[in-house]
Amino acid sequence: AAFVRDRLSATAEKLGWDAGEKDSDLTQILRSRLLAALGTIGQDKTVIEEARKRFSVYLSDPAQLNPNLYGAIVGIAAYNGDARDYEALLECWRSSQSAEAKVRNLMALADFRNPSLQGRTLKLSLTDEVKSQDAPHLVTHLISTTAGRYRGWDFVKANWKTMEERFPVHLFPRVIKGTTSFVTGRDAEDLASFLDEHPIRSGKRVAAKVLERVKLNARVNQRSSKELIAWLKAFSG
């Protein structure tokens, strides 16, 4: 968090929250990415506070905000949110008028770090309330998060048969892609064992690439994690 704040804060402060008249599309994207990183990984209190204020506005009248910041604002609010924020975003998803807003709000439900809220999101993915083409992406997004990867993966293993009945077959490789967040040798073994027992009918090549990526993550983690942790601790100190 300290490293992210040190590297990104100055540029984010220079750009600010509001778009300038001469901002290019790339500048707009940069602003959104910087603020999102600072409000999540960077845990910048000022950014989080401002995002919360704008999230309240978003819930009542999105038209008042820069649409290029919708994703950052919603993502920061969810990442740092509690049960009340979850309920607000859930209702916002249900009442969203545009397809883009509906997908954005749905995916943000996977950003909450509270285990019980993650459980609610996973259960929601198997209901008729979520479109079958959106549900796999929701599960994938939760697995791809540091806070939710193991809970999400356990859910997939426990509900694979149900998913096969509900989800489009061509989206199953997408579900497996979420496991690229895994970083240990045990994770790689677990994934390999599952794929052996549950071959992906329409994505064997994708599954093989994902497994190779997890194995690579595990090797990098084993080789460099101690040094990296020590370096980051020294940096933050």
Side-chain angles (χ1 to χ4, degrees), residues 194-225:
F194 182 83
L195 291 174
D196 283 342
E197 297 175 8
H198 305 83
I200 309 298
R201 285 178 289 169
S202 63
K204 292 183 179 179
R205 181 178 298 180
V206 172
K209 287 184 177 180
V210 170
L211 180 57
E212 182 58 33
R213 170 64 183 272
V214 173
K215 290 179 179 179
L216 176 61
N217 290 348
R219 290 197 294 271
V220 173
N221 185 24
Q222 184 177 23
R223 182 192 67 199
S224 304
S225 61

Side-chain angles (χ1 to χ4, degrees), residues 47-104:
V47 170
I48 294 171
E49 182 179 355
E50 181 63 24
R52 286 188 180 280
K53 292 178 182 177
R54 293 175 182 249
F55 181 62
S56 296
V57 175
Y58 173 83
L59 293 175
S60 60
D61 185 8
Q64 294 187 42
L65 301 177
N66 177 359
N68 291 297
L69 290 183
Y70 287 169
I73 291 169
V74 173
I76 294 171
Y79 188 90
N80 299 285
D82 55 20
R84 186 166 58 179
D85 296 315
Y86 187 93
E87 292 295 342
L89 188 56
L90 187 65
E91 179 57 33
C92 190
W93 163 64
R94 287 170 172 156
S95 62
S96 297
Q97 297 300 309
S98 73
E100 182 181 0
K102 204 165 188 68
V103 171
R104 176 177 59 245

Side-chain angles (χ1 to χ4, degrees), residues 12 25 72 105 112 123 130 135 138 140 149 162 167 173 184-185 207 229:
D25 290 341
N105 295 333
F112 285 85
K123 289 179 181 178
V130 178
L138 180 62
T140 299
R149 56 189 170 200
T162 302
F167 297 172
T184 71
I229 291 169

